[in-house]
Amino acid sequence: AQRVTQPEKLLSVFKGAPVELKCNYSYSGSPELFWYVQYSRQRLQLLLRHISRESIKGFTADLNKGETSFHLKKPFAQEEDSAMYYCALRGLNTGFQKLVFGTGTRLLVSP
Amino acid sequence: ETGVTQSPTHLIKTRGQQVTLRCSSQSGHNTVSWYQQALGQGPQFIFQYYREEENGRGNFPPRFSGLQFPNYSSELNVNALELDDSALYLCASSLKAGATNEKLFFGSGTQLSVL
């Protein structure tokens, strides 16, 4: 079964503090992992994907297959990072774009 | 470049009724998928359409059905509405149906309330 777990509903930090949003997954095959973000009054949008090994807006995420994790990190949080973050999984070679989402973590960055 | 648009933005229906939600894909995208997002939950995959055919489905009953048109716009139909169908329904389009690392573009959603 495919499952994505985000254990924190809310993460509250001060501006400039490091941030780590946790994501663990369960999948028997080779997964693709993504982080999607939803800023206030905006639509859900892709933040980053593990295959691209990219850094977007200072955020990075490393796929750890041993721990089945894909935690999202940023060394210095900014107020504009406040948003809802969803970790999502897709099985490779499934032939369609089914994403399995976690329940999301709300990040609140205070001044 | 036009984004994914959904209509209506809000809808109120009564249990047992039928509803049709509409989605216009991003320009050039031939694949559309629909998600249901209940309050406090992440989006849950309903199904995907590629070139007017359903080519993937999640754990939703047959009363959830869809259509994709030649211009790649799409509809989600739900029959015999139940109270638990109350949710935000998201449409997402992409360029290629099963491509690796494919990016989904989401609409703003339709908030459905079933009374």
Side-chain angles (χ1 to χ4, degrees):
Chain A
Q2 301 176 13
R3 189 184 184 109
V4 175
T5 302
Q6 293 180 252
E8 304 138 328
K9 285 189 179 295
L10 173 67
L11 184 62
S12 185
V13 301
F14 288 106
K15 177 182 173 182
V19 168
E20 183 179 51
L21 300 168
K22 290 185 167 45
C23 171
N24 288 90
Y25 68 90
S26 172
Y27 184 65
S28 57
S30 295
E32 289 183 85
L33 274 298
F34 304 84
W35 278 98
Y36 277 79
V37 61
Q38 188 167 26
Y39 300 102
S40 179
R41 297 190 186 86
Q42 294 187 28
R43 60 189 64 191
L44 196 60
Q45 58 186 283
L46 178 68
L47 179 62
L48 55 79
R49 40 198 156 179
H50 93 271
I51 287 182
S52 302
R53 302 185 68 82
E54 55 206 343
S55 173
I56 305 293
K57 298 184 179 183
F59 284 98
T60 59
D62 291 319
L63 178 61
N64 186 323
K65 292 187 178 181
E67 296 182 358
T68 59
S69 68
F70 189 57
H71 303 327
L72 183 68
K73 300 177 184 179
K74 184 170 183 177
F76 307 104
Q78 303 299 315
E79 288 180 68
E80 55 265 30
D81 296 329
S82 295
M84 194 74 182
Y85 291 80
Y86 293 95
C87 182
L89 172 155
R90 173 177 172 259
L92 277 171
N93 304 316
T94 58
F96 56 93
Q97 295 295 340
K98 174 184 175 181
L99 288 177
V100 176
F101 284 88
T103 51
T105 297
R106 181 167 299 281
L107 175 63
L108 181 61
V109 183
S110 304
Chain B
E1 179 181 271
T2 56
V4 178
T5 57
Q6 292 186 241
S7 63
T9 54
H10 295 83
L11 202 50
I12 299 175
K13 289 286 189 179
T14 304
R15 190 171 52 182
Q17 285 187 312
Q18 178 266 343
V19 69
T20 298
L21 310 182
R22 294 180 173 83
C23 172
S24 179
S25 297
Q26 181 146 321
S27 178
H29 287 185
N30 59 16
T31 304
V32 65
S33 49
W34 285 89
Y35 288 79
Q36 181 196 65
Q37 186 174 17
L39 192 63
Q41 302 296 315
Q44 189 173 357
F45 178 77
I46 302 175
F47 45 55
Q48 176 179 288
Y49 277 80
Y50 171 64
R51 293 185 176 178
E52 303 174 55
E53 298 282 335
E54 182 184 301
N55 75 331
R57 191 175 183 93
N59 294 326
F60 281 81
R63 59 189 185 83
F64 285 78
S65 63
L67 282 173
Q68 187 183 31
F69 300 100
N71 65 355
Y72 301 134
S73 64
S74 174
E75 287 182 355
L76 165 65
N77 299 289
V78 187
N79 294 321
L81 283 167
E82 300 177 359
L83 298 180
D84 284 349
D85 296 334
S86 295
L88 179 68
Y89 288 85
L90 296 169
C91 167
S93 73
S94 58
L95 198 52
K96 299 176 186 176
T100 299
N101 208 26
E102 186 69 7
K103 178 178 178 179
L104 294 187
F105 292 81
F106 282 87
S108 298
T110 294
Q111 184 66 52
L112 173 64
S113 298
V114 182
L115 307 179

